[in-house]
């Protein structure tokens, strides 16, 4: 079903389409395309989906559910807990894990009447930029199946682009919503840290992770973000915000807005097609009354090492809980507790996850903590200060999402450093806890999508939503 989430929601409310009809149409699309693209790890049974649809339809008919997302089919990234539906993080170590409760963000969707289709494929434990490190097979790019969809939320972005769901949830630790959106030609928002509850999100880097929407356009993303955002006492990093009416800012007006263009983001290493299309976004907004200005944001070369030291350190701590004792995979060949730990983790984790656990354990070890981890924390503070200075002058920052369009399958896995560098324009946003919206702005000579991102100051999603919506309106 090719409708946007808000459009389909309106049609359901107006009784032009039933929830069951919407569900059947999406299930038909999944059946046709899933064998080629592999967007899902788990698709709920048709029986359970239609049972959901019937319950939602009754509540719509008696006017209990009036949300613009009521009855609209959604897919959930497989690192968010869903009661009764497997949550694997695309890892063998959680292959048969079925949670006993649901993540707060998903609960908020359920309260709004969303129809959950299943769980999307991802890089194992969200560690990767291509959705190739999944234990259950790779996801392929909707524009060209010989290319990657990006990651780690590649399954969610590809599913939206292929109409295998109307919208999806992803998580963003260092660009994992925005980068696959760029590669797949869809729209996504990484909110300010603390806006969406992390309760029920399987942690990778706790100080960096944030749940956000992936959809067909800015209107959908603003509507979804407004639905899933809430202050949650179950998440100690959840922030009590009062300005969550993001759809109020869907206006075509950027007159007087100052947009900074960091010179550091448009130098060597940026594909020429990408540079041209992203700068064209700036020209379009300038034509609508925005003020563009280049400036120096001199920390790009520090962002990648800072991010990977901090993220891997937090990952080594967070993933220590997966040891075969309480839940998940346990090696069948065990003689004693210590051997069981080692074999379970060796057999259950993939190579990329092991690499990051080892790196994280190293930088936290005695003798190296000060040299690496402490220095990374200081660099993170300097990166935040650099953004703070920029936002004293500018309302937002325009930047590419990735240095190039989607690489071919297998290319990044041969060189992990190349994969890490693909996050160079996105990770600093997570280090500083800022909001950012990624949206399509054209394609390269091969027909692969190109994305741009607008980065805002903390708790100023309304500005970047307004600017992205203005560009979207201008492009039709």
């Amino acid at each position: 079903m090719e409708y946007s989430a808000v459009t389909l929601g309106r049609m359901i409310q107006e009784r032009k389409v039933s929830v069951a009809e919407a569900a059947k149409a999406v299930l038909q699309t999944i059946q046709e395309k899933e064998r080629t693209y592999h967007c899902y790890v788990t698709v709920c049974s048709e029986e359970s989906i239609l049972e959901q649809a019937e319950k939602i339809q009754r509540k719509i008919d008696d006017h209990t559910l009036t949300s613009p997302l009521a009855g609209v089919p959604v897919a959930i990234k497989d690192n968010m807990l869903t009661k009764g539906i497997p949550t694997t993080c695309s890892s063998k170590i959680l292959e048969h894990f079925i949670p006993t409760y649901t993540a707060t963000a998903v609960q908020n969707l359920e309260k709004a009447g969303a129809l959950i289709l299943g769980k999307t494929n991802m890089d194992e434990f969200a560690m990767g930029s291509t959705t190739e490190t999944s234990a259950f097979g790779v996801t392929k790019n909707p524009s060209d199946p010989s290319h990657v969809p990006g990651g780690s939320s590649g399954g969610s972005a590809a599913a939206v682009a292929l109409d295998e769901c109307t919208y999806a949830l992803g998580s963003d630790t260092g660009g994992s919503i925005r980068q696959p959106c760029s590669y797949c030609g869809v729209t996504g928002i990484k909110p300010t840290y603390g806006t969406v509850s992390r309760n029920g999100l399987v942690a990778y880097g706790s100080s960096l992770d944030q749940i956000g929407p992936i959809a067909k356009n800015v209107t959908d993303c603003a509507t979804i973000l407004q639905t899933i955002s809430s202050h949650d006492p179950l998440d100690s990093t959840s922030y009590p915000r009062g300005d969550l009416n993001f759809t109020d800012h869907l206006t075509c007006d950027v007159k007087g807005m100052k947009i900074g263009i960091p010179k550091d983001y448009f130098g060597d290493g940026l594909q020429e097609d990408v540079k041209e299309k992203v700068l064209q976004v700036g020209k379009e907004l300038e034509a609508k009354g925005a003020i563009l200005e280049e400036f120096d944001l001199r920390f790009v070369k520090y962002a990648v090492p800072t991010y990977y030291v901090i993220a891997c350190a937090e990952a080594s701590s967070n993933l220590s809980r997966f040891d075969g004792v309480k839940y998940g995979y346990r090696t069948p060949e065990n003689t004693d507790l210590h051997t069981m730990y080692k074999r379970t983790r060796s057999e259950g984790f993939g190579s990329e996850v092991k690499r990051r656990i080892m790196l994280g354990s190293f930088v936290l070890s005695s003798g190296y903590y000060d040299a690496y981890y402490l220095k990374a924390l200081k660099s993170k503070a300097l990166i935040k200060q650099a953004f703070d200075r920029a936002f004293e002058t500018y309302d937002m920052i325009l930047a590419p999402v990735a240095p190039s369009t989607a690489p071919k399958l297998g290319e990044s896995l041969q060189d992990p450093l190349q994969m890490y560098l693909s996050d160079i324009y996105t990770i600093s946003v997570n280090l500083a806890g800022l909001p950012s919206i990624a949206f399509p702005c054209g394609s390269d000579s091969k027909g692969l999508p190109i994305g741009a991102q607008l980065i805002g100051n903390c708790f100023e999603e309304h500005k970047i939503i307004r600017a992205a919506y203005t560009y979207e309106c201008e492009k039709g």
Side-chain angles (χ1 to χ4, degrees), residues 37-41 90 121-123 130-140:
Y37 295 98
H38 187 43
C39 300
Y40 286 87
V41 174
S90 291
N121 198 21
M122 55 183 281
D123 283 299
T130 62
T131 314
E132 291 178 286
T133 69
S134 168
F136 307 118
V138 303
T139 298
K140 297 175 182 177

Side-chain angles (χ1 to χ4, degrees), residues 42 44 48 81-87 97-102 119:
T42 301
C44 298
S48 67
L81 302 188
T82 42
K83 184 177 180 179
I85 305 172
T87 298
F97 175 62
I98 299 178
T100 57
Y101 70 98
T102 297
K119 309 299 285 293

Side-chain angles (χ1 to χ4, degrees), residues 377-391:
L377 291 179
K378 291 177 180 177
S379 298
K380 178 183 178 182
L382 292 174
I383 289 169
K384 179 65 168 70
Q385 289 172 16
F387 273 115
D388 288 343
R389 286 194 296 271
F391 288 122

Side-chain angles (χ1 to χ4, degrees), residues 16 58 154 181 202 225 228 244-245 292 362 404 445:
K16 293 177 180 177
R58 285 200 299 268
C181 283
V202 179
L225 182 59
I228 63 176
L244 297 176
N245 294 321
L292 265 61
F362 173 77
S404 66
S445 56

Side-chain angles (χ1 to χ4, degrees), residues 395-448:
D395 292 295
M396 67 195 73
I397 294 168
L398 172 66
V401 177
S404 66
T405 49
K408 286 199 167 186
L409 291 164
E411 285 182 358
S412 299
L413 291 185
Q414 295 170 9
D415 182 4
L417 185 58
Q418 181 185 342
M419 179 170 67
Y420 298 166
L421 290 172
S422 70
D423 298 331
I424 190 168
Y425 302 125
T426 53
I427 53 183
S428 52
V429 170
N430 298 77
L431 289 168
L434 304 171
S436 176
I437 184 169
F439 50 92
C441 62
S443 56
D444 68 4
S445 56
K446 299 175 184 176
L448 293 168

Side-chain angles (χ1 to χ4, degrees), residues 195 222 225-227 229-231 239 241-247:
T195 298
L225 182 59
Q226 185 167 307
T227 304
S229 299
S230 62
H231 177 242
Y239 188 80
R241 295 181 59 173
D243 56 336
L244 297 176
N245 294 321
F246 301 116
T247 54

